[in-house]
Amino acid sequence: MRMPAIGITCYPDQGGSGVVATELGLNLARHGCEVHFITSSLPFRLRSYGKNIFFHKVEMPEYPVFRNSPYTLSLATAMHDVALHHNLDILHVHYAIPHAAAAFLAREMMKPTPLKVITTLHGTDITLVGQEPSFFPITRFLIEQSDAVTTVSSFLKEETKKVFGVGDDIEVIPNFVDPRVFKPRQDDELRERLAPGGEKLILHASNFRKVKNVPAVVKVFGLLRRDHDVRLLLVGDGPEMSEVQGLVEQHELENDVVFLGQSDHLEDILPVADVLLLPSRHESFGLVALEAMACAVVPVMTSIGGASEFINDGHNGFLRDPDDIEGMAEAIGTLLDHDNQRQNMAEDARRDATMDFGASCIMRQYLELYEKLI
Ligand code: GMT
């Protein structure tokens, strides 16, 4: 059988949906699929062009009559163009708004040549953006019009069904991690630089949006710092950054908080941490927690959302309510005080992440879906 040719669209900048889409494309290409990334710029994790990988930049012309360049139309045109010239079988879009709309248009333009549309819902496209009154009906329409819809957790599937009243046939295909990239690694030099006094390290990584609840990270750290030798590493950037910086100053934590900015190589930093803290308001999955687990770093994470689908509270990590500052501090304190317990949990975390959510295992699910569709 000919391997399918697939067009992949995602937001190319920092963010879990872009990471999943890019890693999926890279893995599919290794399996022999022809993969065409159709995005507004190079996806940040697309660092090299292997065999079978192509990149098509969506051009967005500026005209004085437009207040904003119509991204959706430019994307639909690019998708149609690539589908036509490269005989695409499938357009696989990540994050519904507006990517599923562009794919819908491209599929209409291709008729009668068949072109299947798969929409992968990642999180806020359903839990926040899709529920805005101005996006609600079109999000529901696009879910119904896609040839297949996947969600990254059962939580997100149930949320989609509850809110939009559609999606019984949604397939759950969880986030995944490449255990050859995200793995335990001893880097004494980096550790020495980040924790010169031999302190323990707590790490938070996100795009610093409201939903990530980063002020809670600072508050939990403030409590812990009272009776632990510990430092906080903040990785990423985003709209909440100045509020977070203000909070760090207000709590007089400047000397023990390290702002590392955005990193395209999280796999280099994650393994030096002792604990990952992700207290999001909700998280449909929480990819960075899975990546941390693969590096044998224990996650302490929000209980709201899909995290319980890969974190077994008290065994390979901890789940806490995002407002439970003391509960999170207590869980981390236990880990910092008991090295043996932390190491045992870290081993379980690595095993569970790589066995159940390893790239090759999840890739099979996507390939089966593609085969079913074409
Ligand atoms: O929905 C978002 O917030 C955007 C998206 C992203 O691009 O970071 O994050 C979502 O997709 C990730 C990959 O599937 C999931 O791991 C994140 O949990 C999810 N974010 C939320 O649900 C808040």
Side-chain angles (χ1 to χ4, degrees):
M1 196 194 96
R2 179 177 78 87
M3 292 300 276
I6 298 152
I8 291 185
T9 293
C10 62
Y11 285 110
D13 304 323
Q14 302 274 343
S17 56
V19 171
V20 169
T22 309
E23 297 293 343
L24 170 64
L26 293 171
N27 276 281
L28 290 172
R30 270 181 231 129
H31 274 83
C33 299
E34 195 175 297
V35 176
H36 294 262
F37 286 96
I38 311 168
T39 50
S40 57
S41 60
L42 200 66
F44 79 99
R45 281 232 188 141
L46 188 60
R47 296 169 192 139
S48 63
Y49 285 101
K51 198 172 156 217
N52 297 333
I53 304 253
F54 304 86
F55 168 63
H56 308 268
K57 186 175 185 310
V58 179
E59 297 297 343
M60 284 181 282
E62 305 275 344
Y63 290 111
V65 282
F66 298 152
R67 193 177 280 184
N68 299 304
S69 184
Y71 168 61
T72 312
L73 300 185
S74 300
L75 177 59
T77 308
M79 285 170 161
H80 171 253
D81 193 53
V82 176
L84 199 62
H85 291 104
H86 298 273
N87 298 319
L88 294 190
D89 300 292
I90 291 169
L91 285 173
H92 188 166
V93 299
H94 295 259
Y95 207 88
I97 305 279
H99 300 150
F104 169 80
L105 289 173
R107 187 182 62 189
E108 291 301 303
M109 290 159 79
M110 282 297 286
K111 279 181 175 167
T113 305
L115 177 64
K116 301 291 181 185
V117 171
I118 302 180
T119 301
T120 291
L121 305 172
H122 280 271
T124 52
D125 42 357
I126 291 301
T127 54
L128 296 175
V129 182
Q131 293 182 38
E132 288 275 328
S134 56
F135 287 132
F136 185 89
I138 198 166
T139 304
R140 183 167 58 195
F141 174 78
L142 294 168
I143 291 169
E144 286 181 310
Q145 290 299 320
S146 298
D147 295 296
V149 177
T150 75
T151 56
V152 297
S153 60
S154 300
F155 161 81
L156 192 58
K157 174 176 177 171
E158 291 314 312
E159 201 61 18
T160 307
K161 283 167 61 180
K162 191 171 81 195
V163 173
F164 294 96
V166 293
D168 275 334
D169 48 1
I170 285 176
E171 196 160 327
V172 178
I173 306 186
N175 284 178
F176 56 91
V177 65
D178 187 341
R180 292 163 310 175
V181 178
F182 287 88
K183 55 177 191 266
R185 201 165 59 88
Q186 197 169 331
D187 186 337
D188 293 338
E189 197 209 310
L190 183 61
R191 177 106 202 177
E192 167 69 28
R193 219 170 348 121
L194 296 171
E199 299 91 341
K200 294 276 171 46
L201 290 172
I202 299 170
L203 186 145
H204 169 83
S206 75
N207 46 19
F208 284 64
R209 283 181 295 148
K210 265 213 157 24
V211 70
K212 299 294 173 182
N213 195 20
V214 193
V217 174
V218 179
K219 289 178 196 159
V220 169
F221 178 68
L223 284 186
L224 279 165
R225 229 272 318 252
R226 289 183 190 162
D227 43 20
H228 287 88
D229 276 341
V230 64
R231 300 191 93 201
L232 175 64
L233 309 179
L234 293 174
V235 182
D237 201 353
E240 297 294 294
M241 182 50 98
S242 51
E243 188 193 326
V244 172
Q245 281 167 333
L247 208 57
V248 168
E249 280 165 32
Q250 191 188 318
H251 288 261
E252 298 179 358
L253 298 169
E254 300 95 314
N255 292 337
D256 296 308
V257 178
V258 187
F259 290 90
L260 291 169
Q262 245 162 36
S263 166
D264 289 354
H265 290 275
L266 210 48
E267 68 274 17
D268 293 339
I269 304 169
L270 268 175
V272 300
D274 296 291
V275 177
L276 174 98
L277 178 56
L278 191 67
S280 310
R281 291 269 144 230
H282 57 84
E283 202 67 68
S284 68
F285 190 95
L287 176 61
V288 69
L290 185 69
E291 292 175 334
M293 288 166 74
C295 296
V297 175
V298 180
V300 175
M301 184 177 170
T302 181
S303 55
I304 314 283
S308 64
E309 294 169 40
F310 65 102
I311 293 179
N312 186 353
D313 187 30
H315 293 275
N316 58 9
F318 288 103
L319 297 173
R320 294 289 178 268
D321 186 276
D323 287 320
D324 186 7
I325 304 295
E326 276 161 20
M328 287 186 270
E330 198 185 310
I332 297 177
T334 308
L335 290 169
L336 300 184
D337 293 340
H338 303 94
D339 273 340
N340 276 347
Q341 185 186 348
R342 183 171 51 75
Q343 270 155 18
N344 287 340
M345 286 180 79
E347 276 166 30
D348 286 355
R350 161 104 183 140
R351 187 202 55 221
D352 295 343
T354 55
M355 278 183 58
D356 300 338
F357 301 91
S360 53
C361 158
I362 305 299
M363 213 46 51
R364 228 173 293 135
Q365 296 185 42
Y366 278 114
L367 282 167
E368 277 167 20
L369 175 64
Y370 296 162
E371 271 173 31
K372 206 161 58 185
L373 271 188
I374 58 175

